[in-house]
């Protein structure tokens, strides 16, 4: 068990964030543990030629055989939507003398050794740290940023909008239960029932804040390896099936089509989870302009709601829209 003890102030200050660096680092699991995150497979197979042109051996060595990654590679975001270069600057700012202990904590308990590409570099920790940060930045620029990240970011932000709605309508206990089945909220303690790590860990949040991060690369709620890391919980994002391009829009009922027309009925059927105009247009095979026109009518009739998330506007069915789709 991993227990986070939260006071009322901690609970009130809990927040969500969307980290491009976390997704960059955790996505390395796609190369070391193929087949685990099936919704991403087609995307990453298309990236393989670009990935193999960069320092793939060093990058893959950052993932342990149990899928752990060093804590310093996934710093807690200082903002809800940080820029990856700001996050990489924090990685580069790690005191080099701390790098051996970070790697030992990650690899030795399970694998009993530090992977050779990392172990060989520990003779000069500062140089190794710079190589790791540079390789992650190149991986981001060459593989993830051009096409995958815009789609993934839409899924992650839509997840956060959904969680905010659950919190507002049903409270914290429902929110934590909705995040993942491993989480249990009881008497001021948020527990992760985990199948990783050894023994029980108790963390007093103590006004340090607790940040929740959706990800495309976890099969359940996880947290940092070290207890001294700022409190975070990473959990599987909703809606990842749309990333694979195999999910077809659900059919709308005949009665709903007769009431609002087929295009608006299809949009309502899709909006069981928050989504952007661009993502809706892609799934429907129409232009964003056409989708915007229909969404404007649905919003005016209170069948959908709008929420701005950073620079993105996400739409979701309202309670009235939910009832019409039943």
């Amino acid at each position: 068990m991993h227990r986070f003890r939260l006071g009322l102030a901690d609970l009130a200050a809990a927040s969500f964030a969307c980290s491009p660096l976390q997704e960059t680092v955790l996505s390395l699991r796609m190369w070391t543990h193929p087949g685990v995150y099936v919704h991403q497979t087609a995307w990453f197979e298309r990236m393989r030629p670009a990935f193999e042109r960069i320092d793939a051996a060093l990058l893959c060595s950052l993932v342990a055989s149990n899928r752990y990654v060093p804590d310093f590679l996934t710093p807690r975001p200082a903002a809800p939507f940080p820029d990856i270069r700001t996050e990489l600057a924090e990685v580069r700012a790690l005191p080099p003398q701390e790098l051996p202990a970070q790697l030992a904590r990650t690899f030795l308990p399970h694998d009993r050794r530090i992977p050779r590409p990392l172990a060989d570099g520990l003779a000069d920790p500062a140089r190794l740290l710079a190589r790791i940060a540079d390789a992650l930045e190149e991986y981001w620029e060459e593989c993830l940023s051009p096409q995958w990240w815009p789609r993934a970011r839409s899924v992650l932000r839509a997840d956060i909008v959904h969680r905010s709605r659950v919190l507002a309508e049903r409270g914290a206990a429902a929110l934590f239960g909705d995040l993942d089945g491993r989480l249990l909220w009881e008497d001021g303690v948020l527990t992760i029932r985990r199948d990783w790590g050894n023994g029980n860990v108790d963390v007093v949040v103590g006004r340090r804040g607790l940040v929740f991060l959706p990800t495309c690369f976890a099969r359940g709620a996880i947290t940092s390896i070290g207890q001294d890391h700022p409190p975070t919980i990473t959990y599987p994002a909703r809606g990842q099936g749309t990333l694979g391009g195999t999910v077809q829009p659900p059919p709308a009922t005949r009665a709903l089509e007769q009431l609002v027309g087929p295009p608006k009925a299809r949009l309502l059927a899709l909006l069981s989870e928050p989504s952007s105009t661009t993502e809706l247009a892609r799934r429907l095979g129409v232009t964003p302009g056409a989708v915007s026109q229909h969404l404007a009518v649905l919003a005016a009739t209170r069948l959908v709601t709008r929420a701005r998330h950073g620079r993105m506007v996400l739409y979701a069915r309202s309670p009235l829209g939910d009832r019409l789709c039943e």
Side-chain angles (χ1 to χ4, degrees), residues 25 62-64 68-74 102-103 106-107 118 225:
V25 172
L62 297 171
V63 183
Y68 281 23
V69 296
D71 284 341
F72 79 95
L73 295 178
T74 55
Q102 288 272 353
L103 298 180
T106 304
F107 295 101
L118 300 175
I225 301 171

Side-chain angles (χ1 to χ4, degrees), residues 25-56:
V25 172
L26 295 187
S27 77
L28 295 173
R29 294 168 168 175
M30 291 296 300
W31 310 110
T32 59
H33 295 76
V36 175
Y37 311 103
V38 295
H39 297 308
Q40 311 291 337
T41 300
W43 277 101
F44 280 77
E45 281 305 308
R46 289 195 291 270
M47 294 178 202
R48 185 175 295 278
F51 181 70
E52 292 176 348
R53 288 193 296 268
I54 62 179
D55 199 346

